[in-house]
Amino acid sequence: MLDRLLEVSHVYKTVHDASGELSILHDISLSVHPAETVSIVGASGSGKSTLLSIMAGLDAPSSGDVFLGDTNISVLDEDERALIRASYIGFVFQNFQLIEHLTAIENVMLPLELLGAEGAKEARVRASQMLSRVGLSNRLNHYPRFMSGGEQQRVALARAFVVQPKILMADEPTGSLDHATGALIMDLIFDINAEHKTALVLVTHDNALAKRCKRGVTVEAGRLIKDLV
């Protein structure tokens, strides 16, 4: 039985622009284990968000391997990666990524409906329970445009956790929020993460926030320069 949920092995990422070849990630290796909390810290442009995208299968490496469980997703096409992602990973982004024409409960129901694992009634019940857990039981039928940034991020949290992912990936989840609201969101993330025994991979430029994770790695100019256990 595998003792890790995710493994990145000797990953490189290069892109081409008008000036030639640009190296974004250089020989990155990293593992994430069940229920582990890992922060990825780095300055803007360091490559940390690109690394997260590759870890999640949202992007493919130029070379190297990425395993989710025992599946090497780096050799799969986008549709195949999406199927693996759906059963493994929940996402929280800086800009919420809610669907504007869906209500809060419809946004949270959506990943359950896409998985096709439940009927509409069961999906609605689970979505309602998750929205109650993040303190939004009175906002189920509100559209994102009528909600504050903190409320929208709580909807995004409910959407991420409703599928009971093995890993939560959060990319600067407080970046669009004021300090007080951001602190409340992070408390929710860590509390629900612990309740569900989900692994957490947190991308942030905030060292104080990163220290809340049990392990931290730093990316600088596309290289992993520090791994604190």
Side-chain angles (χ1 to χ4, degrees):
M1 183 175 178
L2 294 173
D3 65 349
R4 47 94 174 128
L5 291 173
L6 183 150
E7 184 173 354
V8 176
S9 180
H10 301 293
V11 158
Y12 291 75
K13 181 66 177 180
T14 58
V15 297
H16 295 270
D17 59 18
S19 61
E21 188 174 88
L22 176 65
S23 177
I24 299 176
L25 296 176
H26 183 86
D27 198 18
I28 300 284
S29 294
L30 174 66
S31 295
V32 179
H33 302 272
E36 185 178 29
T37 55
V38 181
S39 64
I40 301 175
V41 178
S44 179
S46 62
K48 61 186 187 299
S49 290
T50 299
L51 175 58
L52 189 75
S53 292
I54 289 174
M55 292 169 74
L58 294 169
D59 193 7
S62 300
S63 64
D65 296 303
V66 180
F67 288 88
L68 280 176
D70 59 0
T71 302
N72 187 349
I73 64 171
S74 59
V75 300
L76 304 180
D77 64 28
E78 169 51 30
D79 289 341
E80 292 169 327
R81 294 199 306 270
L83 287 173
I84 299 294
R85 271 201 309 274
S87 62
Y88 251 87
I89 300 173
F91 296 96
V92 181
F93 300 99
Q94 177 175 339
N95 294 319
F96 320 135
Q97 303 284 348
L98 300 179
I99 298 175
E100 290 295 324
H101 67 271
L102 298 182
T103 62
I105 195 166
E106 289 169 342
N107 266 283
V108 179
M109 288 173 63
L110 185 60
L112 293 172
E113 293 171 336
L114 292 174
L115 281 172
E118 303 187 16
K121 183 177 180 180
E122 291 79 8
R124 181 170 287 272
V125 169
R126 281 183 60 182
S128 177
Q129 290 171 340
M130 277 307 310
L131 284 165
S132 295
R133 175 60 186 87
V134 299
L136 292 177
S137 58
N138 63 336
R139 306 287 272 169
L140 302 185
N141 297 310
H142 286 70
Y143 291 94
R145 65 181 178 275
F146 299 120
M147 306 177 81
S148 68
E151 288 173 332
Q152 290 185 64
Q153 193 62 297
R154 281 188 277 163
V155 174
L157 273 181
R159 181 184 59 189
F161 279 111
V162 77
V163 296
Q164 300 180 327
K166 295 178 176 65
I167 306 172
L168 177 71
M169 294 195 174
D171 191 358
E172 300 283 7
T174 63
S176 297
L177 305 174
D178 63 74
H179 179 75
T181 303
L184 291 172
I185 291 296
M186 287 312 306
D187 286 344
L188 264 178
I189 286 178
F190 280 101
D191 287 348
I192 300 175
N193 204 71
E195 290 168 15
H196 288 243
K197 295 181 172 59
T198 304
L200 170 66
V201 180
L202 171 67
V203 164
T204 182
H205 65 275
D206 186 336
N207 286 319
L209 189 55
K211 288 178 181 177
R212 296 186 63 174
C213 293
K214 292 183 179 178
R215 184 158 61 96
V217 300
T218 300
V219 178
E220 185 174 293
R223 296 175 182 268
L224 199 68
I225 64 169
K226 182 167 55 178
D227 189 339
L228 300 179
V229 179

